[in-house]
Amino acid sequence: MTDNAKQAARDARGGKRFFFGWWVVAAGLIIMATCYTAFVNCIPLFQTHIVRDLGLTVGQFNTGVSLSTVVAVFASLVIGKLTDRCSSRVLASFTILTSSVVLVALSFITQVWQLYALCVVAGIVVVAGTRLLVSVVVSNWFTLKRGLAVSIALSGSGVGGVVLSSATSAMISACGWRPAFLLLALICLVAALPISLIVFYSHPSDKGLAPYGAGMTEQAKADRSPDKPVTVSVGWAVLKKDAGFWTMVFGFVMMGIANGAFITNAVANMTSVTVDGVEIVTGGHSVMWAGAVWSFYMAMVIVAKVSLGAIYDRFGLKVGTVLGTAASTLAAVFLCFSVTDWGPIMACVFFSFATCMGTVAPPVVVGKQYGKKDFGTVTGIVTAFELFGAAIGSVVSGLMFDAFLSFTPVWIMMAVVSVLMGVALLASVPAARKLVERRRAQGAPEIDDDGNEVTPA
């Protein structure tokens, strides 16, 4: 065992030395709490106001949102590789600066094409460059408690959502939606840029360290998951030909559709939508009430993300998947009762856990099922397909509302894709285990803590 591995093992057993990787987690949390939250969790708060003031339809607005997701699909393929090769501090800083510039520009839009153009830029840099970058970099720093560390970092979207949803709703009500965009731009720049420049290193080796828990025997680890760690090389060259891998990808596409439908329309489902000058009452609640419920949802996301990571670490992939599938399906059912107080609230309770299947799950599932070989590249590909599903969910949900002038058909679709998600992800677990055993039987090389193949002495 190397000196760095010994030190990491001592740290993992509760030594006095504070592990630097937790600062990386903190930086990731803040990036998620600002940039990601502004473009993913706060955008629904602007939907009804932009639709009314610019004379758009819900379908047109949702198409703009989905454009950012579509381009993020392709950007994720590139960013996944960049995280394996480039400085994460440079990537994070560029993402944060771009976030602020795009938010400022959104405050000045007057035409639908301007919304579309800015959504494209946001999708390329922000949507793809926040969650994927944070999940890959944090995963690089942890062998032990990886699920917990990733979930804490990604829970920033919930932390930011609690604060920014209320602040954005209040700003929109008091000053209008244009100043609200300017407020979000300032928050992203001031809160996220400094810490990212200082601590957001790509790998422990950049600081002369080993990953948290490196070198410890499996019996000594606190993670008691039934999922055995993958120590043999798999990698993208093998996975791209494996049916089990693509079954898993299909599951994440379904999760993306559910996420896109919920996040884009949940707020409008609680209030009303104006189409061609005619107000269509969907839930009948006030904007402030809907904003408060959305803030409650963001608070629940914090707890849910940390919980899901801990569940993966302790109980494994199957238990986490079953719980996520049930939560997503139940959320879809409760969303159909938007005119009640309890319907939207219960939907937010359940989907706060379900939405984590689209954020926490990809890096954790990839790591647990296929190991760290080509980790950034493979996670980027999985994330790209999940974002593609979110784009489908956003566009289709808008078109369905325009056709039926009701969100109920949207929530029925969401329930169906939630079940398909669970079936596909559960089927991929034994398929992945068989692939790993087949690779070992073929004499594939072992991998080290950074995912590099180990050459036999």
Side-chain angles (χ1 to χ4, degrees):
M1 186 185 299
T2 65
D3 292 339
N4 284 338
K6 291 178 181 178
Q7 181 61 57
R10 287 194 296 270
D11 294 341
R13 287 193 294 267
K16 295 181 179 180
R17 185 176 177 181
F18 182 77
F19 183 59
F20 188 86
W22 293 113
W23 286 114
V24 178
V25 171
L29 186 147
I30 293 175
I31 293 172
M32 292 293 295
T34 53
C35 300
Y36 183 85
T37 296
F39 283 96
V40 176
N41 297 323
C42 288
I43 285 295
L45 299 172
F46 293 88
Q47 185 190 53
T48 57
H49 305 281
I50 293 178
V51 165
R52 181 192 63 230
D53 291 354
L54 300 189
L56 309 180
T57 66
V58 172
Q60 286 177 312
F61 179 88
N62 285 8
T63 298
V65 174
S66 67
L67 275 175
S68 66
T69 309
V70 169
V71 296
V73 171
F74 302 100
S76 294
L77 301 176
V78 177
I79 291 175
K81 293 183 178 180
L82 288 176
T83 56
D84 289 333
R85 302 175 183 177
C86 301
S87 167
S88 57
R89 288 183 294 165
V90 173
L91 293 174
S93 299
F94 179 73
T95 298
I96 294 164
L97 291 171
T98 303
S99 300
S100 299
V101 171
V102 172
L103 287 167
V104 169
L106 281 169
S107 70
F108 292 100
I109 62 173
T110 58
Q111 303 292 328
V112 66
W113 69 265
Q114 296 167 344
L115 172 66
Y116 290 172
L118 291 171
C119 283
V120 167
V121 176
I124 293 173
V125 180
V126 184
V127 177
T130 49
R131 191 184 77 188
L132 176 57
L133 178 63
V134 168
S135 61
V136 171
V137 172
V138 170
S139 295
N140 288 339
W141 278 82
F142 290 82
T143 297
L144 177 66
K145 296 188 182 299
R146 183 185 301 153
L148 178 63
V150 171
S151 63
I152 290 174
L154 296 183
S155 70
S157 61
V159 174
V162 171
V163 178
L164 294 188
S165 292
S166 297
T168 301
S169 296
M171 178 66 82
I172 290 174
S173 298
C175 305
W177 58 272
R178 296 182 188 275
F181 274 125
L182 295 175
L183 174 65
L184 290 174
L186 180 63
I187 290 173
C188 287
L189 187 64
V190 173
L193 187 60
I195 191 171
S196 299
L197 285 171
I198 296 172
V199 305
F200 205 60
Y201 287 88
S202 300
H203 298 279
S205 56
D206 297 336
K207 293 286 291 181
L209 300 171
Y212 188 85
M216 296 181 67
T217 63
E218 194 62 27
Q219 290 77 11
K221 292 183 179 180
D223 296 349
R224 293 169 290 172
S225 166
D227 305 310
K228 295 181 180 179
V230 177
T231 59
V232 68
S233 176
V234 180
W236 172 236
V238 174
L239 290 177
K240 65 183 179 182
K241 304 174 184 177
D242 182 65
F245 171 77
W246 292 110
T247 299
M248 181 195 72
V249 169
F250 174 79
F252 281 115
V253 172
M254 295 299 102
M255 180 67 253
I257 293 175
N259 253 326
F262 179 88
I263 292 175
T264 307
N265 303 292
V267 173
N269 187 58
M270 292 184 257
T271 54
S272 62
V273 179
T274 300
V275 179
D276 295 329
V278 178
E279 183 181 24
I280 300 170
V281 178
T282 49
H285 300 286
S286 69
V287 173
M288 288 304 295
W289 188 89
V293 173
W294 196 246
S295 294
F296 167 72
Y297 164 70
M298 291 291 102
M300 290 297 299
V301 167
I302 301 172
V303 178
K305 283 189 175 179
V306 175
S307 299
L308 181 60
I311 288 170
Y312 276 136
D313 285 342
R314 175 62 183 88
F315 299 103
L317 295 174
K318 290 185 177 180
V319 173
T321 299
V322 169
L323 292 176
T325 301
S328 186
T329 306
L330 287 171
V333 173
F334 283 113
L335 284 165
C336 296
F337 300 92
S338 59
V339 296
T340 68
D341 288 346
W342 53 268
I345 293 173
M346 291 303 297
C348 287
V349 169
F350 282 106
F351 203 74
S352 65
F353 189 91
T355 191
C356 302
M357 295 293 293
T359 51
V360 174
V364 174
V365 171
V366 169
K368 280 180 172 288
Q369 292 192 178
Y370 305 111
K372 297 182 76 172
K373 172 66 176 175
D374 297 333
F375 182 74
T377 299
V378 176
T379 304
I381 291 167
V382 173
T383 300
F385 277 95
E386 193 263 329
L387 290 173
F388 176 67
I392 293 174
S394 182
V395 172
V396 171
S397 63
L399 294 176
M400 291 177 73
F401 179 85
D402 291 342
F404 296 98
L405 298 181
S406 170
F407 284 114
T408 299
V410 174
W411 309 136
I412 295 173
M413 174 194 71
M414 177 178 159
V416 173
V417 300
S418 297
V419 173
L420 292 175
M421 171 198 71
V423 172
L425 291 181
L426 287 174
S428 73
V429 176
R433 291 175 182 171
K434 290 180 181 178
L435 174 63
V436 171
E437 291 305 315
R438 187 164 66 249
R439 289 289 293 163
R440 182 169 285 110
Q442 293 170 346
E446 297 290 304
I447 55 174
D448 62 17
D449 292 318
D450 287 332
N452 301 312
E453 294 184 355
V454 178
T455 303

